[in-house]
Amino acid sequence: ITDDLPKFLPYSLNTSDIRCRECPHNAYCWGGDKIGPQPNYWRSTNSSSTMLPCFNDQACLGVVPRRQSDHPQGECNKSKGYMGILCASCDDGYSMTDEHKCSPCPDRVANVF
């Protein structure tokens, strides 16, 4: 899947569907069972067409087209420390601040003072 393919094609996650479904407004759909969340949304399972809003607009990158098969639930912005369900947790070396934002932990020496 590449960036230049249409992103809002009808899709179906159920092989017994007679007709494909319309692409949800907060998803990208490449046809067949290829569906994933747009930025700022997260998907709980590969079999769900429900795209859940993330708590922080910097946390969820959505599905990355070239890596859609690796992360059909969407990707967290790991470069800013986000991870987990709804990208609402912070990776090691980060801590949660107000408004569900991950912030780098201060240097241990600086933290003592």
Side-chain angles (χ1 to χ4, degrees), residues 18-36:
I18 295 173
R19 294 184 182 183
C20 290
R21 298 171 189 247
E22 198 173 305
C23 188
H25 75 280
N26 49 8
Y28 291 132
C29 305
W30 292 275
D33 65 350
K34 306 292 187 236
I35 178 174

Side-chain angles (χ1 to χ4, degrees), residues 24-93:
H25 75 280
N26 49 8
Y28 291 132
C29 305
W30 292 275
D33 65 350
K34 306 292 187 236
I35 178 174
Q38 290 186 12
N40 302 324
Y41 289 90
W42 186 83
R43 180 178 173 202
S44 63
T45 70
N46 297 352
S47 61
S48 173
S49 61
T50 301
M51 307 299 156
L52 302 168
C54 293
F55 297 120
N56 180 321
D57 62 1
Q58 295 179 8
C60 298
L61 299 176
V63 68
V64 177
R66 284 177 232 144
R67 299 190 307 247
Q68 194 269 347
S69 61
D70 296 337
H71 303 279
Q73 294 168 301
E75 291 188 41
C76 297
N77 191 346
K78 292 183 180 180
S79 69
K80 294 194 183 264
Y82 296 98
M83 60 179 280
I85 296 171
L86 290 169
C87 303
S89 298
C90 297
D91 204 353
D92 291 340

